[in-house]
């Protein structure tokens, strides 16, 4: 019985907890390619690396796996903020990365913006 309880405790303790981090600033670039649905977003100045898990430390991505309507809403908001010259706050999950070509962990995925 003790071994069963110890085993369950170890399984629960070893699970990684995802955290959300928010970066804010004016948009430098919003890049869209005709050959893919991922939208790349770069802020003018970021005080620290965005995500140590992903290989690109300065650019975030609106994932191609989002439904088209959600991705379009996010893209519209990004363009409106960029045109108005206003800051945007982008929240990403620290444990997930967007793939690019053969590389599986390139850009931090945006999960929320305001």
């Amino acid at each position: 019985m003790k071994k069963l309880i110890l085993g369950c405790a170890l399984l629960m303790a070893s699970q990684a907890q995802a955290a959300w981090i928010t970066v804010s600033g004016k948009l430098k670039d919003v890049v869209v390619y005709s050959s893919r649905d991922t939208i790349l977003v770069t802020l003018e100045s970021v005080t620290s690396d965005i995500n140590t898990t992903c290989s690109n430390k300065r650019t975030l991505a609106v994932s191609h796996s989002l439904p088209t309507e959600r991705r379009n809403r996010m893209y519209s908001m990004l363009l409106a903020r960029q045109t108005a010259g206003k800051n945007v706050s982008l929240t990403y999950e620290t444990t997930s990365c967007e793939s690019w070509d053969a590389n599986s962990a390139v850009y931090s995925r945006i999960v929320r913006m305001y």
Side-chain angles (χ1 to χ4, degrees):
M1 184 67 171
K2 288 181 182 179
K3 289 182 181 180
L4 178 62
I5 293 172
L6 179 62
C8 289
L10 287 173
L11 283 174
M12 290 188 317
S14 67
Q15 292 179 350
Q17 296 297 317
W20 284 8
I21 299 196
T22 301
V23 292
S24 298
K26 290 189 191 254
L27 290 161
K28 178 180 179 183
D29 292 311
V30 178
V31 180
V32 180
Y33 291 90
S34 63
S35 60
R36 47 182 79 230
D37 292 330
T38 303
I39 301 166
L40 303 179
V41 181
T42 307
L43 297 176
E44 283 184 3
S45 61
V46 177
T47 56
S48 63
D49 284 348
I50 292 174
N51 186 345
T52 57
T53 305
C54 304
S55 63
N56 189 305
K57 309 293 187 220
R58 298 288 175 204
T59 301
L60 297 114
V62 175
S63 180
H64 72 279
S65 63
L66 289 175
T68 303
E69 184 178 328
R70 280 190 226 156
R71 198 172 50 252
N72 287 343
R73 270 195 315 259
M74 293 175 92
Y75 182 54
S76 295
M77 184 177 174
L78 289 167
L79 292 180
R81 293 286 177 150
Q82 187 176 34
T83 301
K86 292 187 176 185
N87 285 354
V88 65
S89 294
L90 305 172
T91 302
Y92 62 92
E93 188 175 329
T94 60
T95 57
S96 66
C97 299
E98 183 73 11
S99 62
W100 195 263
D101 293 331
N103 301 318
S104 63
V106 181
Y107 301 107
S108 298
R109 282 189 192 136
I110 298 170
V111 295
R112 179 179 69 181
M113 62 178 64
Y114 54 97

